[in-house]
Amino acid sequence: LISGAEIMVECLKNENVQIAFGYPGAAICPFLDCLYRSPIRHVLVREEQNAAHEASGYARASGKPGVCIATSGPGATNMITGIATAYMDSVPLIAITGQVSSELLGRDVFQEADITGACEPFTKHSYLVKDAAELPRVFKEAFHIASTGRPGPVLIDVPVDIQASEIPEFIYPQRAEIIGYKPRTQGHAMQIKKALAAIREAKRPILVCGGGVVLAGARDELVAFAEKSGIPVVSTMMGIGVVPMDSRLYLGMIGMHGHQNANRAVGEADLIILCGARVGDRAVSAPEQMAAKAKIIHIDIDPAEIGKNMTAHIPIVGDIRLVLRDFAGQADVSVPQEWIDTVLRYKAEYKPGGEPDNESGFVEPRSFMRSLSAMMEENAILTADVGQNQIWAARNFNVKEGRFLTSGGLGTMGYGFGAAIGGC
């Protein structure tokens, strides 16, 4: 016989999970007792929100789903902000919560909370497990959903009696078969053909890379296409680091806190290629004005994002890595030299604010970030919390081969330290 708790651990081992972040409590103890005896490392946090932030930092740094664990009631509800933070930034997360015994559900007993209902707006999917035999299927589906299509958090809520119950054998499914969940990965050939025709006709094209490029592991493909085509590149805050910031054709971050030269280039473009960017208000304050002046090609794995905030004249639903690979393979583009000279002149004329002040006794933060950047290794990971410090980091730290981790969508204060631990 094998218990539900043992099955949960075996499921994680089958998904090659090596580390999990959490905080114990009575309703999750059967699982944690088994986890303690396994080779999977458990990192103890001081509060459940940080378990989700650390799992998020781990996921973003490793490219694998992060796992966070909490007990029932307040333990689970404490984790909601971290789950919502991951949801807004499309981070693959598996949140495992304990729950009161099945026969007590719905009776408002000690430390009971409807966590699947509470997290419904902030998860890709959630499960309340009512039979230990269902655990292998649930875990297989959860990891598949979290890491495919547009990534995001999946919640698995397991009552304590299900963790303790036993079944005859454990069989882990080879694949997840989910009716109605078939994310499109290959871009439509006709749409790619239209996009390439628009790129060839454009006089002032520009590439805008968002966090979706990072999530898709499409950094090499975007750089290859940009270098082959000669199209200048800007990024949203979540897209920082896709293109090394000292690259010749990288102009900087756009948006209300972005670089003036990057915003100016986007404002003068006649074709904007949006790659994995949701066009949020901090990146583009007046999206329809931009769409009225320029033709928009929008590439995203999530069809719901295309056209949500800005008109997309040529929408392409698919995995950005595959779409950009098609672009690079078929592109015979010659960007007018006049346009390249213009944006490079804007870049050369831009002078970052902030000079070291050695007389006042205070640290000037912008120049400090540039000095710190110069000292770091090329693959350094920088995490930033939320506030003006986030903007100082985004504008002044030169991300080369590493990563920039911050809460871009929800803007969660307290994210940076947890993400740094998980990233490490």
Side-chain angles (χ1 to χ4, degrees), residues 225-291:
F225 174 61
E227 289 179 347
K228 181 174 181 180
S229 64
I231 300 175
V233 182
V234 297
S235 73
T236 65
M237 182 179 289
M238 300 306 290
I240 287 174
V242 170
V243 178
M245 296 172 80
D246 52 5
S247 296
R248 176 172 171 268
L249 287 176
Y250 179 72
L251 306 180
M253 182 179 76
I254 61 169
M256 66 171 69
H257 299 294
H259 298 90
Q260 292 90 327
N261 61 298
N263 284 329
R264 186 176 179 184
V266 170
E268 295 179 8
D270 65 353
L271 176 71
I272 298 171
I273 308 166
L274 290 171
C275 300
R278 62 170 154 248
V279 200
D281 61 309
R282 295 220 302 177
V284 180
S285 58
E288 287 308 321
Q289 288 182 23
M290 183 183 289

Side-chain angles (χ1 to χ4, degrees), residues 56-114:
S56 174
Y58 172 81
R60 292 174 67 179
S62 69
K64 299 185 290 186
V67 177
C68 51
I69 302 165
T71 191
S72 66
T77 57
N78 276 350
M79 208 155 59
I80 290 178
T81 298
I83 293 171
T85 302
Y87 181 79
M88 289 289 283
D89 289 336
S90 306
V91 178
L93 217 64
I94 305 296
I96 302 171
T97 54
Q99 183 56 275
V100 300
S101 195
S102 299
E103 75 275 10
L104 300 177
L105 285 170
R107 293 172 57 183
D108 293 332
V109 298
F110 180 68
Q111 290 195 336
E112 179 188 3
D114 177 13

Side-chain angles (χ1 to χ4, degrees), residues 113-127:
D114 177 13
I115 193 62
T116 53
C119 284
E120 186 175 356
F122 312 120
T123 51
K124 277 190 77 176
H125 196 60
S126 62
Y127 297 89

Side-chain angles (χ1 to χ4, degrees), residues 380-403:
I381 295 174
L382 173 71
T383 70
D385 222 291
V386 177
Q388 190 61 48
N389 53 299
Q390 181 188 49
I391 309 307
W392 290 329
R395 286 175 60 100
N396 297 286
F397 192 93
N398 185 4
V399 179
K400 295 178 182 176
E401 300 301 322
R403 292 291 308 279

Side-chain angles (χ1 to χ4, degrees), residues 197-228:
I199 293 168
R200 293 187 193 102
E201 294 170 5
K203 304 299 182 187
R204 301 181 304 279
I206 201 156
L207 270 163
V208 178
C209 60
V213 179
V214 182
L215 293 164
R219 174 189 250 174
D220 292 344
E221 284 76 10
L222 188 133
V223 171
F225 174 61
E227 289 179 347
K228 181 174 181 180

